[in-house]
Amino acid sequence: MLSARSLFQEILDNDESFRLFCSIAAGGESQGGWENARIAALVPASERALAPRISRHGADEDKHGRIFDALMRKRGLQPVDVPADTDYTMLLERRGIGLSHEKLKSDHPLTVPDIVTYLAHSRVTEQRASEEMELLRRHFGDHPDLGRAVRMISRDEDNHLAYCHEELLRFAAAGHGRAIQRTLRECALAEIRVYRDVSLAVMSHMGRVLGWPRPKAALLAAGIRAVYVYERAVGWRRMVSLRMPERRDALGGPATTSPEFA
Ligand SMILES: [Fe+2]
Ligand SMILES: [Fe+2]
């Protein structure tokens, strides 16, 4: 039967597909790490207090990148180039979502609206990360090789999401509510399309590596498209709501490391 668990198990069991999976994941994470480090460095003076949290956010993503890399190397595997059509962060940037790399590479301080854009973009993408990791944790949280890593990354992504909710609510209270709602909506609608396209691309690369028969590949592609139809109709709304998290200041304090990986 085709289930998320059996699919992932299959990807895990094959060296080629496992290193492709880890390379794609590590690439996205370290890209996120770089972006957050640049945002922390360019925070406007009025938002200085936020800088340590943005740095922590970046340090966590960097750590996730190192964890995926270590998982691969523990099996004696080398990373592979990430196919362009599976590059989630690059595809989002190309759609004008989040802060442009041009802006992040420059030395001009960001503005408060830029910080609001960063948080809205993160609120949407961290929701995705948190849900994906939750799925992995549910099925592989007890796995002897992956369990610890999966549980740690999952906890971090939940914290990132909580932090975005809390900070966006603070900016909303300070009068940025309309900009936040507009940006969240734009980000969510773009993200669900990019997520669909990247999922289709990842599955087609996996299908080639694992030699999936045509009907299996077609069924998977249909499933991914069905998820998009659902998200376009109603699912996107879950990505634009704001709720005060139970855990406050989730990114306060220093980054947690994992001696095993980091
Ligand atoms: Fe991450
Ligand atoms: Fe994250």
Side-chain angles (χ1 to χ4, degrees):
M1 210 198 82
L2 261 184
S3 63
R5 193 199 155 83
S6 67
L7 262 183
F8 195 74
Q9 188 69 56
E10 203 182 333
I11 290 169
L12 199 67
D13 288 344
N14 177 289
D15 281 351
E16 258 332 284
S17 52
F18 184 65
R19 77 172 180 162
L20 179 59
F21 169 81
C22 288
S23 300
I24 293 171
E29 297 282 6
S30 47
Q31 183 61 38
W34 178 82
E35 285 172 12
N36 281 288
R38 288 306 300 152
I39 296 166
L42 299 175
V43 150
S46 64
E47 298 303 324
R48 268 276 145 237
L50 205 56
R53 290 169 184 82
I54 305 175
S55 295
R56 161 83 191 272
H57 188 186
D60 281 354
E61 305 301 6
D62 270 334
K63 177 184 71 182
H64 300 167
R66 290 197 303 276
I67 291 176
F68 282 113
D69 203 59
L71 288 174
M72 196 167 15
R73 293 183 196 273
K74 246 165 65 176
R75 248 167 84 166
L77 302 170
Q78 296 294 318
V80 283
D81 288 340
V82 174
D85 56 357
T86 66
D87 195 333
Y88 173 79
T89 44
M90 189 195 70
L91 292 170
L92 277 172
E93 198 223 336
R94 248 195 229 157
R95 284 184 177 267
I97 296 303
L99 299 175
S100 72
H101 282 187
E102 205 182 320
K103 207 173 235 185
L104 295 182
K105 278 180 190 151
S106 88
D107 280 322
H108 294 293
L110 298 170
T111 62
V112 170
D114 287 335
I115 296 298
V116 167
T117 300
Y118 144 71
L119 284 169
H121 171 235
S122 297
R123 187 258 172 271
V124 170
T125 53
E126 294 296 338
Q127 167 115 28
R128 186 67 78 186
S130 156
E131 288 173 359
E132 297 251 281
M133 289 312 301
E134 153 79 41
L135 184 72
L136 276 183
R137 191 181 55 194
R138 204 176 324 135
H139 297 304
F140 297 93
D142 295 325
H143 190 280
D145 302 323
L146 294 183
R148 253 179 68 82
V150 163
R151 290 196 308 273
M152 174 183 247
I153 299 177
S154 175
R155 198 182 330 115
D156 287 346
E157 304 301 8
D158 291 349
N159 284 340
H160 299 168
L161 182 58
Y163 147 82
C164 292
H165 275 274
E166 185 176 348
E167 296 303 332
L168 282 171
L169 283 170
R170 185 172 63 81
F171 277 105
H176 297 278
R178 287 179 85 91
I180 291 172
Q181 275 316 316
R182 192 187 59 238
T183 315
L184 281 173
R185 188 176 192 278
E186 255 172 43
C187 281
L189 293 177
E191 196 279 344
I192 59 175
R193 291 184 64 164
V194 167
Y195 179 72
R196 173 198 61 188
D197 295 346
V198 165
S199 303
L200 287 171
V202 169
M203 284 308 158
S204 104
H205 289 284
M206 292 299 176
R208 254 195 307 275
V209 169
L210 295 166
W212 285 341
R214 235 169 226 272
K216 179 170 176 169
L219 189 60
L220 272 169
I224 291 167
R225 291 203 173 89
V227 167
Y228 173 73
V229 168
Y230 164 77
E231 292 199 326
R232 182 67 189 84
V234 265
W236 68 276
R237 291 182 189 279
R238 80 188 188 287
M239 302 180 130
V240 301
S241 61
L242 290 178
R243 197 163 24 88
M244 190 49 90
E246 249 167 63
R247 172 145 192 226
R248 303 284 173 92
D249 198 12
L251 294 186
T256 52
T257 51
S258 166
E260 202 184 330
F261 300 111

